[in-house]
Amino acid sequence: MSIGTAGADHVLAEARRWLGPANDPDDLQDFADLTPWTFTRMQDAARTRARSNGGLVVASGGTTGAPKLTVMAPNLGVPRLLPHWRPLGAGDVLLNLFSPGRMWGAQYFYNALSGYCQSTVAPIGSLAPKDVAEWAPTLAGLGVNAIAGAPNAVARFAEAVSANGVDLDVRTIIWAGEPMTPARSTVIHEAFPEAGLWGNYGSIETFVIGVNRPGCRTDVFHLLPDQLLEPEDEGALLSRVGEGWPAPAVRFRLGDRVEPMTCPCADGHAFRVVGRVDDQFKLCGVMLRAGDILERAVTIPGVREAQLLLYCDPADPAAVTSLQLHYTEAEREAHGVRSELVRRTDGLDILDLSVPDTVSVKRVAVLERSPRTDKVLPVLWRDALDPPNHGGHS
């Protein structure tokens, strides 16, 4: 079941627009003739457009390998977005917690969003909790009433605000890049009880695809008009028609699996991100998905954030020999979290009966974050020769 307002005929017409001079548009007569675009094909189209209209280069990766560069429209698609999702207005002051530098696109995007909304932006980047008290007078003096950041970064900022007695009248929280879990939402609303949550979903190759507004479930997004999402197990296919998008797309395969949903707000074309395509692994003959384990972990009472460590055979990196869940929380003991996780997760219950030592849980002070984006890394891969510390899991 496809999601969206763009029909097959519209997508066919869009595909014909991007055919090179050596191709005959009459060769595309049916939707089934449309071969999904690769990232290289998308970038060829984006660079072609940039030669006439200009472009902005953004990057993903670069922490452990070469950066992946993407050419976006100079306005990053903000004018097309605003009729359907406008979290800011004239006079608002946005604190942008997304990391700056090295062409990281989120910083640019929220600066541009603020400008098009006639708001003021303070592009400070991530603030460590110990720095919040020092910056508090400056932020209060600026009149900050909106915050943009990854949910874990906004939650850490909110905790520091509460701990230091900082008074900020925040009415808008803009979030993206990772799930807005119930625990993160609770922490944010304890510090900013009047704040509405405005989320969006996209990728570095496409920027915003769908949006989430106050009144929506925080795990549901609404597809922007003139797009089509085709859910597939190999990754959803995204198509866009018309002008004004940050990047063109004709059946471009995303790295996420999605499924149609309904939302309490009653707006249509809703979907949920089920998980990454590449998050499936086998442990002792049992097939598991990292996303499923993490999704269930953060619903356990007392668990705020979670991260999965997968230990692999060095001779066969695809062979996972054990897993350990790290979580942050002040009081809940690891053995209780493990019992709940096993009970709630298909597959882990089987492993618990046959090879219980392959599944462990550990409470930690902090989870490992990307030094580039400050997002919590959902999965960490480790060498099985460096066994997990099972402290307190049973």
Side-chain angles (χ1 to χ4, degrees):
M1 177 182 176
S2 296
I3 307 164
T5 60
D9 290 344
H10 298 102
V11 177
L12 270 170
E14 186 71 16
R16 294 186 185 110
R17 282 184 59 203
W18 296 105
L19 285 175
N23 300 102
D24 183 353
D26 291 336
D27 290 341
L28 293 180
Q29 295 296 326
D30 190 84
F31 192 78
D33 297 332
L34 295 179
T35 302
W37 276 13
T38 62
F39 174 73
T40 300
R41 179 67 187 90
M42 171 185 273
Q43 282 308 286
D44 287 344
R47 289 189 173 105
T48 296
R49 186 179 65 177
R51 283 193 285 271
S52 299
N53 301 327
L56 175 67
V57 178
V58 299
S60 62
T63 301
T64 59
K68 185 178 183 180
L69 303 182
T70 305
V71 180
M72 293 287 164
N75 61 20
L76 301 176
V78 175
R80 178 177 262 277
L81 173 66
L82 289 183
H84 314 285
W85 188 79
R86 196 181 188 99
L88 301 171
D92 285 333
V93 179
L94 175 69
L95 184 68
N96 187 352
L97 297 179
F98 283 99
S99 301
R102 301 202 177 186
M103 298 185 286
W104 171 235
Q107 172 80 207
Y108 301 139
F109 176 77
Y110 293 102
N111 292 345
L113 176 70
S114 181
Y116 276 98
C117 290
Q118 297 179 299
S119 303
T120 299
V121 61
I124 195 170
S126 181
L127 273 177
K130 63 183 179 61
D131 296 328
V132 172
E134 178 185 346
W135 276 92
T138 300
L139 301 180
L142 284 172
V144 167
N145 67 349
I147 301 171
N152 89 84
V154 178
R156 282 190 298 149
F157 178 81
E159 272 190 328
V161 163
S162 297
N164 287 283
V166 178
D167 185 17
L168 294 177
D169 186 22
V170 173
R171 300 304 179 99
T172 300
I173 300 293
I174 304 172
W175 62 274
E178 60 186 12
M180 177 61 77
T181 64
R184 289 168 176 165
S185 177
T186 297
V187 169
I188 290 168
H189 280 120
E190 285 174 351
F192 311 120
E194 302 300 320
L197 299 179
W198 296 76
N200 68 73
Y201 164 76
S203 72
I204 191 60
E205 300 91 354
T206 64
F207 272 43
V208 177
I209 295 170
V211 296
N212 176 285
R213 311 175 187 92
C216 294
R217 281 179 45 164
T218 53
D219 62 343
V220 172
F221 300 90
H222 298 278
L223 191 68
L224 293 172
D226 298 327
Q227 295 184 115
L228 183 70
L229 267 183
E230 302 169 65
E232 292 192 359
D233 287 342
E234 298 79 16
L237 295 170
L238 171 70
S239 298
R240 290 169 160 170
V241 301
E243 303 292 342
W245 294 106
V250 175
R251 306 195 79 204
F252 174 69
R253 193 174 297 282
L254 303 170
D256 293 322
R257 295 173 294 120
V258 306
E259 64 180 11
M261 289 290 289
T262 58
C263 184
C265 77
D267 197 2
H269 312 295
F271 65 94
R272 183 175 80 98
V273 180
V274 180
R276 295 290 298 172
V277 172
D278 56 1
D279 74 344
Q280 195 170 35
F281 64 95
K282 186 176 286 189
L283 174 58
C284 297
V286 177
M287 192 64 72
L288 301 163
R289 285 193 180 274
D292 293 342
I293 297 172
L294 292 169
E295 183 178 24
R296 285 157 179 76
V298 296
T299 64
I300 296 172
V303 173
R304 174 170 162 184
E305 295 184 322
Q307 185 173 63
L308 196 61
L309 279 68
L310 300 180
Y311 290 83
C312 305
D313 185 341
D316 181 8
V320 177
T321 60
S322 65
L323 67 83
Q324 183 172 79
L325 182 88
H326 284 186
Y327 73 101
T328 57
E329 195 272 341
E331 297 177 357
R332 188 76 184 262
E333 293 298 332
H335 64 83
V337 173
R338 184 184 184 280
S339 297
E340 281 286 303
L341 183 66
V342 166
R343 184 179 65 81
R344 295 176 182 221
T345 310
D346 292 340
L348 291 188
D349 51 353
I350 298 172
L351 293 170
D352 189 47
L353 290 173
S354 55
V355 280
D357 286 346
T358 62
V359 179
S360 60
V361 170
K362 184 179 180 181
R363 183 171 59 193
V364 297
V366 294
L367 301 179
E368 189 169 330
R369 293 179 170 82
S370 165
R372 180 173 170 76
T373 65
D374 205 37
K375 292 190 293 187
V376 171
L377 298 168
V379 179
L380 301 174
W381 296 86
R382 294 289 187 262
D383 193 322
L385 297 178
D386 180 22
N389 178 352
H390 292 275
H393 85 272
S394 61

